[in-house]
Every structure is written in structure tokens, then in C-alpha cells.
Amino acid sequence: MTSSDYPLKVDYCGVCSLPPEYCEHGPLFDKCKEWMEENLPDEYARLVLNKTQEELEAMSLNNSKKKQTRGGKAMKNITKKQEVQKQVIVGRSMRARKKYVTLVRGLKTCDMNLKKCSKAFGQKFACGSSVTGDDEITVQGDVVDDMMDFIVDELGIDDDLVVDGGDIKD
């Protein structure tokens, strides 16, 4: 066992306030080395100069990693929306014998919430309405003309963007 005089005198880094042995694990190791070279040359010689060149390069690589900015990884995944031609197609499709359903496609290109639009269609035309595809709403009954007027008047979509699709075959 080694004999030590108590109380021990411990030197602390002026940059990171850690003992010099722990500076290399801190985030400001480059600044700590400069401070140690000026203020604690014996510690600097013992810690930094005794290391091999490979260890010094490994330490500089570890400290050069950039910290994650506020917002996390999700900020990197933001992509621009592709420019899509805005057009709403309203058509009808035969369901059974003389029964028809009205199909509305393209509301998503006009940044409309399909669920809310489906609910509004069902309330306006007193019928069943549901979101059936990625960008399609099915309304029970043949209400194509009224649907086109409703989309222009109530939803505020430009008249030029609403197109009659006629009979749509699925």
C-alpha cells in the first residue's frame, strides 16, 4: 500500500471543473488541454504527452461528434411535399341494379380532412358516407350535381378544380 498524506490536494480543471484525469471524458477536452498546458504543466505532461498518437486521435474523434440539437431525430426526416395537381373528381358508380353511390376523389390534394368532409356529406345529404380509400369518399345515393355545388360553396374549393367524372367503373 502506498502512504498518502491526508488531506489530499486535488487540482481541478479551470474549464470543466473536473479533476484532470477525467477531463478527457468531458465535452471540452480541447479547451481543457490548453488550460492544463498553461496552468498545470506537470499534469499535462503526465496525461496528454504520455498517450500514444493513436489514443489522441481516437479521443479527438470522440469529442468531435456533434451533439443532437433540440427537436430530436424527427427534424431530419422532414421532406417537402411533392407538387400534386389539385383536382376534385366527383362521379357515380353503380352499386346494385338501379342503386348508385357517389365517389369523391382528390379532396386530399386540396388539404381537406377526409373524415370531416365525409361527416359533412352524410349530414347534408342525409345518407351514409365513408372514407373508402387513401383519397376517396363514398356517399350513398346519386347526388353528383348537389355534391359539386356543396364542395364549391361549403368547402371553399375553387369551381375550376371540381370536375364531373361521370360514371366511374371500379
Side-chain angles (χ1 to χ4, degrees):
M1 290 214 159
T2 60
S3 63
S4 298
D5 294 331
Y6 288 97
L8 295 176
K9 183 180 181 293
V10 179
D11 293 321
Y12 292 97
C13 176
V15 177
C16 66
S17 71
L18 294 173
E21 296 84 24
Y22 295 104
C23 283
E24 66 185 75
H25 303 294
L28 306 170
F29 183 56
D30 295 329
K31 292 181 182 179
C32 291
K33 283 195 297 188
E34 293 172 10
W35 185 88
M36 250 192 289
E37 189 174 15
E38 293 173 12
N39 298 315
L40 301 172
D42 297 334
E43 289 290 322
Y44 178 77
R46 186 176 65 84
L47 292 175
V48 177
L49 298 179
N50 289 339
K51 300 226 180 237
T52 62
Q53 187 63 24
E54 294 175 9
E55 290 174 334
L56 288 175
E57 287 176 6
M59 285 191 303
S60 66
L61 288 177
N62 290 339
N63 288 329
S64 67
K65 290 182 185 175
K66 293 190 177 185
K67 290 184 179 178
Q68 185 174 351
T69 58
R70 190 172 178 106
K73 294 180 182 177
M75 297 298 289
K76 295 178 186 175
N77 295 333
I78 294 175
T79 58
K80 293 181 180 178
K81 290 184 178 179
Q82 295 177 353
E83 237 359 86
V84 179
Q85 180 183 0
K86 293 183 178 183
Q87 185 176 26
V88 178
I89 301 169
V90 180
R92 70 180 190 166
S93 177
M94 184 173 272
R95 185 170 59 98
R97 295 188 192 177
K98 295 181 182 179
K99 307 277 184 175
Y100 289 95
V101 291
T102 303
L103 299 174
V104 181
R105 294 179 179 159
L107 285 173
K108 205 174 214 181
T109 62
C110 297
D111 297 326
M112 301 299 292
N113 186 340
L114 295 181
K115 275 186 138 179
K116 289 182 180 179
C117 290
S118 174
K119 184 165 181 151
F121 295 156
Q123 289 175 347
K124 168 69 176 170
F125 302 112
C127 62
S129 176
S130 64
V131 178
T132 54
D134 185 36
D135 192 15
E136 180 179 77
I137 297 176
T138 302
V139 180
Q140 293 177 359
D142 183 7
V143 289
V144 174
D145 297 328
D146 297 331
M147 180 68 71
M148 291 175 68
D149 294 336
F150 181 76
I151 290 173
V152 171
D153 296 338
E154 299 297 322
L155 299 182
I157 295 176
D158 190 25
D159 190 22
D160 299 332
L161 300 177
V162 181
V163 178
D164 185 358
D167 287 338
I168 299 173
K169 302 246 179 182
D170 283 334

